[in-house]
Amino acid sequence: MIATAAETVEPAAAPEKELPVRDRAQTQGRIFQAGRALLAEGGFQAFGVNAVARKAGCDKQLIYRYFGGLDGLVDAIGEDLAGWVTQHVPEDQGGRFLLTYGDLMERLAELYADALRADPLMRRILVWELSESSPHIARMADARAKGIAQWIERMRGSLTPPKGADTVALNAVIIAAVQQLVMAAETSGSFAGLPLKSQKDWGRAVSAVARMARAAYA
Amino acid sequence: MIATAAETVEPAAAPEKELPVRDRAQTQGRIFQAGRALLAEGGFQAFGVNAVARKAGCDKQLIYRYFGGLDGLVDAIGEDLAGWVTQHVPEDQGGRFLLTYGDLMERLAELYADALRADPLMRRILVWELSESSPHIARMADARAKGIAQWIERMRGSLTPPKGADTVALNAVIIAAVQQLVMAAETSGSFAGLPLKSQKDWGRAVSAVARMARAAYA
DNA sequence: CGGCCTATTCACCAGCGGGTGACTTTACCC
DNA sequence: GGGTAAAGTCACCCGCTGGTGAATAGGCCG
């Protein structure tokens, strides 16, 4: 059999099968990334010791050794995501001026939607949170809630909501709507008759949320 | 060993283990109900041929025979739920007068939230819809969307939304918020800092949604 | 009684999941 | 060089899952 270009063996390095690197930190990192990727791609259903090990290209035993099992791995991923809101929802106001508290929440809804739409992993975790309740998951949700509260506090400046407005409840409703729409978009591409595929669809959705936010805080 | 009261055998009937009824319709019904119950209690994760058979107290083979497998059972449950909105979201206006389109949507939000909060099965299915996309699930979501649209159409009377309002998008946002809050309430008991346990908490949430609905359609 | 149809169960398979103990291989250090 | 500890792999075990083909048990009818 004549060796084709693809079959020729590289003279210096033979990258055909990455043999074990024997570097704990790196292997640990590969397991971690495999876990993240698996979670992002298939959700918590596709998440298991065997699957992670397969994807990381190492023995599952290492997951137990380095992370103390799946729970530990989840914890690690969760901790890594603790500052997600701060890292993914920008605080500069991109040239827009926020004149009212309603404008502020409108902007938050828009930025939050963008951030979620761009992050499959976080979307999967949102779904996970609804499917079961475990300490890890609860912690992640808490961290997100705190992050959002901080965002508002930092961006608020001197803006204040109108008297008598239940900001906690109103903001929760806004965030809830955004999350639900983003999640539904992924799996079904629409929600309650509203298509959620194209960028244009999203424009529609976001401006509806924006309208409600502005109106509620008027 | 002296027989205790619990161990004594009933003279007439021995209900200790309900022996097979040999009634296809009834067995079919038991499987159906077992499926519903399992789904309602543990969500789609707890849903499997073996689990259903165990709960129904019969052999799993019967699930294949009578429903053509799990998919068929899901279909049956789904079909049964096709008219859910119509059946669970009342159309009488309970003494209240709906003066504006905003009032109408406010009322829908309230009734829809109540209906969902009272129905564990439907809540689980909502979560399921976000977790994976399959034909069955898509059909259920469609049916619900249609049901809601019908509700609005029937209750609307002569009420009309203000010109320029994107009703489809605005209504989707309202429904989305309600759904997300109900689901989050079940698993974590709160959402984005808003507690969702007591009836009072729900009053807060619902009036926030209501305020937004009214304001958006003002 | 015998025969038949049907509801129901049984026994079994292959596959995959989590989990663990013992083994091999490599690097490093004296 | 030898030795030791860490990195990595292997070979299992167990329990459960989905799925199937054959056997059984009970009612009904002639």
Side-chain angles (χ1 to χ4, degrees):
Chain A
M1 198 188 210
I2 299 174
T4 66
E7 283 164 344
T8 51
V9 179
E10 295 290 334
E16 159 194 54
K17 190 117 189 183
E18 306 184 25
L19 61 160
V21 260
R22 229 159 180 83
D23 173 346
R24 173 164 178 159
Q26 180 177 331
T27 305
Q28 220 162 335
R30 284 173 48 168
I31 293 173
F32 182 82
Q33 291 305 336
R36 281 179 55 106
L38 226 47
L39 219 45
E41 289 158 18
F44 60 101
Q45 300 178 72
F47 193 69
V49 189
N50 296 299
V52 171
R54 223 172 303 147
K55 183 135 197 154
C58 69
D59 197 275
K60 57 181 169 184
Q61 175 73 13
L62 298 184
I63 298 174
Y64 292 99
R65 271 226 242 302
Y66 298 158
F67 292 92
L70 263 193
D71 281 5
L73 182 54
V74 171
D75 266 342
I77 295 177
E79 262 176 59
D80 187 58
L81 256 47
W84 185 87
V85 173
T86 316
Q87 291 159 20
H88 291 75
V89 183
E91 292 194 5
D92 70 78
Q93 53 209 48
R96 276 197 230 177
F97 291 99
L98 305 175
L99 298 174
T100 69
Y101 193 90
D103 288 348
L104 178 69
M105 291 309 300
E106 167 183 346
R107 183 85 183 119
L108 172 58
E110 188 182 339
L111 292 174
Y112 189 53
D114 286 347
L116 285 183
R117 290 211 296 137
D119 192 334
L121 177 60
M122 186 47 85
R123 276 194 314 250
R124 295 295 194 169
I125 288 180
L126 290 185
V127 176
W128 198 0
E129 282 174 12
L130 298 176
S131 303
E132 55 178 298
S133 68
S134 81
H136 319 116
I137 299 180
R139 252 174 283 150
M140 292 193 235
D142 270 17
R144 236 183 16 262
K146 284 210 184 71
I148 291 176
Q150 279 175 20
W151 186 95
I152 295 174
E153 202 48 46
R154 282 206 279 263
M155 289 282 287
R156 187 167 70 80
S158 58
L159 299 178
T160 51
K163 286 251 171 191
D166 184 349
T167 55
V168 172
L170 288 171
N171 293 348
V173 169
I174 294 169
I175 299 297
V178 171
Q179 278 189 202
Q180 176 70 26
L181 292 178
V182 172
M183 288 188 289
E186 166 127 342
T187 27
S188 86
S190 72
F191 184 86
L194 176 70
L196 290 171
K197 295 193 182 87
S198 67
Q199 191 58 37
K200 209 173 168 188
D201 296 334
W202 276 104
R204 232 180 127 186
V206 166
S207 57
V209 177
R211 176 181 181 137
M212 299 190 72
R214 256 183 289 117
Y217 281 119
Chain B
M1 200 191 213
I2 300 175
T4 65
E7 284 165 343
T8 53
V9 178
E10 294 291 335
E16 158 192 53
K17 191 114 188 182
E18 306 183 27
L19 63 159
V21 262
R22 229 164 180 80
D23 173 345
R24 173 165 177 161
Q26 180 177 332
T27 305
Q28 220 162 335
R30 283 173 49 169
I31 293 173
F32 182 82
Q33 290 304 336
R36 281 179 56 106
L38 226 48
L39 219 46
E41 289 157 18
F44 61 101
Q45 300 179 72
F47 194 70
V49 189
N50 296 298
V52 171
R54 224 172 303 149
K55 182 136 199 154
C58 69
D59 196 275
K60 58 180 169 183
Q61 175 73 10
L62 298 184
I63 298 174
Y64 292 99
R65 271 228 231 302
Y66 297 159
F67 293 91
L70 262 194
D71 281 5
L73 182 53
V74 171
D75 266 342
I77 295 176
E79 261 176 60
D80 187 58
L81 256 46
W84 185 88
V85 173
T86 315
Q87 290 158 21
H88 291 76
V89 182
E91 292 193 6
D92 70 80
Q93 53 209 49
R96 276 196 229 176
F97 291 98
L98 305 175
L99 297 175
T100 68
Y101 194 90
D103 289 347
L104 177 71
M105 291 309 299
E106 166 184 348
R107 183 84 182 121
L108 172 58
E110 188 182 338
L111 291 174
Y112 189 53
D114 286 348
L116 284 183
R117 291 211 297 136
D119 192 334
L121 177 59
M122 186 46 85
R123 276 193 314 249
R124 295 294 193 169
I125 289 180
L126 290 186
V127 177
W128 199 0
E129 283 173 13
L130 298 175
S131 303
E132 55 178 297
S133 68
S134 79
H136 317 120
I137 300 182
R139 253 175 282 151
M140 291 193 235
D142 269 16
R144 237 182 17 262
K146 284 211 184 71
I148 290 176
Q150 279 175 20
W151 187 96
I152 295 174
E153 204 46 45
R154 281 206 281 262
M155 290 281 288
R156 186 166 71 80
S158 57
L159 299 178
T160 50
K163 287 251 170 192
D166 184 350
T167 56
V168 171
L170 288 170
N171 294 348
V173 169
I174 294 170
I175 299 296
V178 170
Q179 277 189 203
Q180 175 70 26
L181 291 177
V182 172
M183 288 189 287
E186 166 128 340
T187 26
S188 85
S190 72
F191 185 85
L194 176 70
L196 289 171
K197 294 190 181 92
S198 67
Q199 192 57 38
K200 209 173 166 185
D201 295 335
W202 275 103
R204 233 180 126 186
V206 166
S207 57
V209 177
R211 175 182 182 135
M212 299 189 72
R214 253 182 293 118
Y217 280 119

